[in-house]
Amino acid sequence: MKLTLKATTDGQGNFEKREEIDIPFYAGVMLGRYADVRGRVTEPPGIDVTIRADLDAVDGSRLNDEVTRVVPAGRTAEIGKWRFGSGTHNLTVKGSTSPVTPNTEFTCEITVD
């Protein structure tokens, strides 16, 4: 199972995106109990993105610690391998570009293994 979250930076080169992800119970049992999370800068080329990302249950249960990573320009970078349970989760991704670049497109891919 693969999910994608996309965000675009504002005029100061910052973004914040929250997405609810519904992971059915059977997916947790059949596909595994971890999600690999990777990020990449889609456009423009030559921009690094520093992100803070978190994946937790909607009911407030803390399943994982927030992570901070730098996603280098032109590369896909591993952000983390997070634990999840069944039900609905919030994926929160916040970030900023270096150098400050408005309208930078960032993609976060979640693969359940």
Side-chain angles (χ1 to χ4, degrees):
M1 177 165 67
K2 188 175 193 176
L3 307 163
T4 302
L5 177 131
K6 294 182 180 186
T8 302
T9 59
D10 62 18
Q12 288 75 42
N14 299 311
F15 65 88
E16 182 173 344
K17 183 86 175 200
R18 175 176 282 175
E19 185 83 24
E20 274 195 11
I21 301 169
D22 184 24
I23 301 173
F25 175 75
Y26 68 85
V29 173
M30 293 176 62
L31 298 176
R33 301 198 66 77
Y34 288 90
D36 281 319
V37 182
R38 292 182 178 83
R40 65 184 161 92
V41 179
T42 310
E43 286 185 26
I47 303 299
D48 293 344
V49 175
T50 299
I51 69 159
R52 292 185 328 235
D54 198 7
L55 177 70
D56 286 306
V58 168
D59 68 7
S61 300
R62 296 275 318 152
L63 299 174
N64 304 281
D65 294 327
E66 181 179 271
V67 297
T68 301
R69 300 279 189 270
V70 174
V71 178
R75 293 187 30 210
T76 298
E78 184 173 316
I79 296 169
K81 185 172 183 106
W82 285 329
R83 205 175 114 233
F84 67 90
S86 62
T88 306
H89 294 66
N90 280 325
L91 173 64
T92 304
V93 180
K94 303 173 188 176
S96 58
T97 58
S98 179
V100 172
T101 309
N103 300 316
T104 298
E105 295 178 12
F106 181 80
T107 300
C108 189
E109 296 175 342
I110 304 100
T111 304
V112 179
D113 64 1

